[in-house]
Amino acid sequence: MHTWSSCISYRRFGYEEESSQNVRSEFIRDYDRLIFSSAFRRLQNKTQVFPLPGNVFVHNRLTHSLEVSSVGRSLGSIVGMALSMEDSLSGNDEIIRFYKYDLSGVIASACLAHDLGNPAFGHSGEKAISNYFIHNSALDIKGIPLSGYFSKAEWADLTNFEGNANALRLLTQQFRGKLSGGQRLTYLTLATVIKYPCDSLSIDKSQVIYKKYGYFQSESKIFAEIVANFNLYKDTKYFRHPFVFLMEAADDICYRIIDMEDAHRIGILSTKEITDAFMPLILSLETKTSELDRMHTTIQSIGDKNERVAYLRAKCINILVRKAAEVFLENNQSILNGSFNNTLVDVLTSDCQALNEIEAISVQKIYNHPSVIEVEIAGYNVMSDILDLFVRAVLTSDPTALQKKCLLLVPEQYAFYKDTDSPYLKVMGILDFVSGMTDGYATELYRKMKGIEIPGHK
């Protein structure tokens, strides 16, 4: 029987002596570790949706993650306060304190980490990595086709490269010369990051929580250890930790609303188009007349078009946070026992035409805008050529002089080819290197590889 008490754990992944200070909660420590990590800093030069221009501000992966974390903290606070009053927790002061004061920190930390595994060039970076292996499956390397170096499960990882699985790897992997346990986060934060509790061979597009996968074969034992802490197993399948739904909702709310604001900022959508999209959403979900009256008065007093859009964006996020929390609490038992097969925001979308309209505008005018497509095309070329260079080198038993030089470019922490005979683990080390590249670094390396730019020559 799963309960709200059994959802909690203060254990930390990776060996560590108990801390003698209690100034920060365990989950604020997780947050701080993520903020100061190099993987998090690299997000500042990774594309969210739009190209990263020099003179107009749009969101990158880092600013997106910070905003998702802020929204996640609010969701955690609302839901935590409500759950702290559950009759089943009556008399259990420690658990009540967790829901009142700590759940918000768990969700904020998981939200910070949710995009750590995404490569350069937005989601097209993931597709580019996958397509490299798909299109080169018959590539001959020392008489063996590329696909022949891997098991069925390993090949499924490579041909369906998944940023979510890569995030878990980054957070838990002991890289060469580094501490065991990766970032040494709590099991609870790690469980809250695992959005899709299955491997690449178990993807099921008909079910929301299995439409992608959440761990590579290289982290299968780590995944099993994490979910075992919370007994996330039912009917021969793993299911999500309940708190994942809050992390996911924070992300869904942010990208659905903030991508629209970015599109306005760079002139793809007009102020009128944004107003015509956001106002129906607010009017359909806000039930307090006094709040609507106050909003109309405030809008009329704002002359700056960017400030007006920012105000409407804030109102949309605020009301979606409240409504998503309501959906979570209304479905808390099915979420708790693993039978809830939906997302919180999709539940809202099914009853809110305005959210459907925003999604349609995003697909038509944002995600298919020429500037976005140009980044995707560039990402395919850059990532494919970089991968081709390093994958050939790492799988060749007798590398050429040039290939040996190429492998010297791989940072020591990712050089697993020195420690293993497994082709899969060697390639995973290369993917650690390539997926961690920022847009700028990947582009610069590509230009140097192609001779377009020669170091030391202008």
Side-chain angles (χ1 to χ4, degrees), residues 252-254 256-258 260 273-287 292 295 312-324 345 348-359 361:
D252 289 349
I253 289 169
C254 284
R256 291 189 188 215
I257 301 302
I258 295 173
M260 297 277 285
E273 286 176 304
I274 293 291
T275 303
D276 290 347
F278 284 178
M279 284 300 294
L281 173 62
I282 297 168
L283 293 172
S284 65
L285 296 179
E286 181 56 74
T287 58
L292 291 173
M295 182 190 70
L312 289 173
R313 175 259 299 154
K315 285 295 178 184
C316 287
I317 290 177
N318 181 272
I319 195 167
L320 286 171
V321 165
R322 287 190 282 117
K323 292 299 180 179
V345 173
L348 293 176
T349 302
S350 65
D351 295 324
C352 181
Q353 182 58 32
L355 269 175
N356 284 296
E357 291 294 333
I358 288 173
E359 185 172 2
I361 292 170

Side-chain angles (χ1 to χ4, degrees), residues 150 169 390-391 393-397 410 414-432:
F150 310 101
R169 179 173 169 84
F390 289 105
V391 168
V394 82
L395 290 181
T396 300
S397 57
V410 179
Y414 304 136
F416 289 116
Y417 63 88
K418 297 179 180 179
D419 304 326
T420 179
D421 293 326
S422 164
Y424 174 70
L425 293 180
K426 289 179 180 180
V427 170
M428 289 304 294
I430 296 302
L431 290 181
D432 292 330

Side-chain angles (χ1 to χ4, degrees), residues 164-373:
N164 291 282
N166 201 37
L168 181 64
R169 179 173 169 84
L170 282 174
L171 293 171
T172 59
Q173 182 62 234
Q174 181 180 358
F175 294 103
R176 296 186 85 243
K178 303 289 185 177
L179 291 171
S180 62
Q183 294 295 323
R184 294 185 167 185
L185 303 181
T186 59
Y187 281 90
L188 183 51
T189 294
L190 291 172
T192 306
V193 172
I194 301 173
K195 196 172 175 181
Y196 304 105
C198 66
D199 66 9
S200 55
L201 290 178
S202 305
I203 294 172
D204 182 353
K205 299 287 187 181
S206 69
Q207 298 193 61
V208 170
I209 68 171
Y210 303 120
K211 69 178 184 180
K212 298 181 180 180
Y213 69 100
Y215 63 95
F216 296 127
Q217 293 303 309
S218 52
E219 281 69 56
S220 58
K221 291 182 179 179
I222 292 173
F223 169 80
E225 185 179 343
I226 293 168
V227 297
N229 271 266
F230 307 98
N231 194 25
L232 301 174
Y233 191 77
K234 178 182 179 181
D235 299 333
T236 72
K237 284 189 173 184
Y238 294 107
F239 62 92
R240 283 178 170 179
H241 192 288
F243 300 161
V244 174
F245 290 95
L246 298 174
M247 179 273 290
E248 176 183 56
D251 185 29
D252 289 349
I253 289 169
C254 284
Y255 81 75
R256 291 189 188 215
I257 301 302
I258 295 173
D259 287 353
M260 297 277 285
E261 184 183 16
D262 274 354
H264 174 264
R265 179 73 66 168
I266 60 179
I268 293 174
L269 295 176
S270 68
T271 305
K272 183 179 186 302
E273 286 176 304
I274 293 291
T275 303
D276 290 347
F278 284 178
M279 284 300 294
L281 173 62
I282 297 168
L283 293 172
S284 65
L285 296 179
E286 181 56 74
T287 58
K288 295 180 181 178
T289 304
S290 60
E291 185 62 28
L292 291 173
D293 290 341
R294 186 183 306 110
M295 182 190 70
H296 283 297
T297 301
T298 302
I299 289 175
Q300 295 305 314
S301 69
I302 301 174
D304 183 85
K305 63 180 183 180
N306 289 329
E307 185 68 15
R308 181 175 295 186
V309 168
Y311 177 79
L312 289 173
R313 175 259 299 154
K315 285 295 178 184
C316 287
I317 290 177
N318 181 272
I319 195 167
L320 286 171
V321 165
R322 287 190 282 117
K323 292 299 180 179
E326 288 177 10
V327 173
F328 184 96
L329 293 169
E330 288 167 1
N331 295 276
N332 76 83
Q333 287 306 303
S334 60
I335 287 173
L336 187 61
N337 64 33
S339 61
F340 186 73
N341 184 35
N342 211 338
T343 74
L344 304 183
V345 173
D346 279 349
V347 171
L348 293 176
T349 302
S350 65
D351 295 324
C352 181
Q353 182 58 32
L355 269 175
N356 284 296
E357 291 294 333
I358 288 173
E359 185 172 2
I361 292 170
S362 296
V363 171
Q364 179 185 357
K365 295 190 175 183
I366 297 177
Y367 306 136
N368 285 313
H369 189 268
S371 66
V372 176
I373 294 173

